[in-house]
């Protein structure tokens, strides 16, 4: 019998999203830090499509023998790792650095907002669990 993971599927998903967003933040920060490095190839970290595909598969749905059993956390979610790609400068102009600081700052802001949204959802979930364990008080 598979072991019950921490809390439930939603919390497991939010934990995974936070990990992936943190990795994305590191990639974006590295791009910004190397914006003036000649020959540096900007990198992008994408995981949204892979995560979406994993959520659509049947292997992420908990399987129990009775409707009142606690749901089991999905094992397929742990396999989502994201993809890191490099983008070389193809313009042939300048120092062959492909980092656009403006684009990276937009990506940084978007990632930060989505990270904060996931943290807020996780906090709400934890607050609900705290409320329930305190008997509704």
């Amino acid at each position: 019998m598979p072991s019950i993971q921490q809390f439930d599927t939603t919390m497991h998903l939010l934990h995974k999203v936070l990990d992936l967003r943190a990795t994305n933040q590191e990639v974006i920060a590295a791009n910004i830090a190397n914006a003036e490095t000649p020959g540096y190839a900007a990198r992008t970290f994408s995981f949204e499509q892979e995560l979406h595909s994993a959520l659509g598969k049947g292997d992420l749905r908990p399987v129990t023998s009775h409707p009142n059993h606690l749901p089991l956390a999905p094992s397929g979610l742990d396999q989502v790792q994201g993809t890191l790609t490099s983008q070389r400068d193809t313009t042939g102009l300048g120092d062959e650095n492909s980092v656009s600081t403006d684009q990276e700052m937009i990506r940084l802001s978007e990632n930060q907002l989505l990270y904060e949204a996931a943290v807020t959802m996780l906090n709400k979930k934890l607050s609900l669990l705290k409320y329930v364990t305190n008997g509704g008080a």
Side-chain angles (χ1 to χ4, degrees):
M1 180 172 127
S3 64
I4 296 176
Q5 300 294 319
Q6 294 177 338
F7 304 111
D8 66 5
T9 304
T10 305
M11 291 183 74
H12 189 70
L13 172 64
L14 289 170
H15 181 265
K16 186 64 174 181
V17 167
L18 289 173
D19 286 345
L20 293 168
R21 290 255 166 240
T23 301
N24 193 27
Q25 195 83 354
E26 291 172 8
V27 171
I28 295 168
N31 286 343
I32 293 171
N34 287 292
E36 299 295 323
T37 304
Y40 181 80
R43 299 181 304 161
T44 57
F45 181 71
S46 57
F47 64 89
E48 291 89 353
Q49 187 60 41
E50 187 179 344
L51 190 63
H52 182 69
S53 295
L55 290 174
K57 293 181 181 173
D59 63 307
L60 290 181
R61 294 198 176 95
V63 177
T64 58
S65 60
H66 189 275
N68 292 334
H69 286 172
L70 292 173
L72 304 175
S75 61
L77 191 58
D78 292 328
Q79 297 169 355
V80 175
Q81 298 299 318
T83 305
L84 189 62
T85 56
S86 293
Q87 176 184 349
R88 293 257 175 232
D89 180 31
T90 58
T91 62
L93 303 172
D95 61 0
E96 296 181 358
N97 184 312
S98 62
V99 176
S100 167
T101 307
D102 292 337
Q103 289 292 353
E104 294 301 323
M105 294 305 289
I106 291 169
R107 289 179 52 226
L108 183 73
S109 297
E110 178 185 20
N111 192 64
Q112 183 64 31
L113 286 171
L114 293 171
Y115 184 91
E116 289 174 9
V119 168
T120 301
M121 287 186 271
L122 188 57
N123 284 337
K124 295 266 184 201
K125 186 77 170 172
L126 291 172
S127 295
L128 179 62
L129 287 173
K130 182 179 177 184
Y131 177 78
V132 169
T133 57
N134 287 334

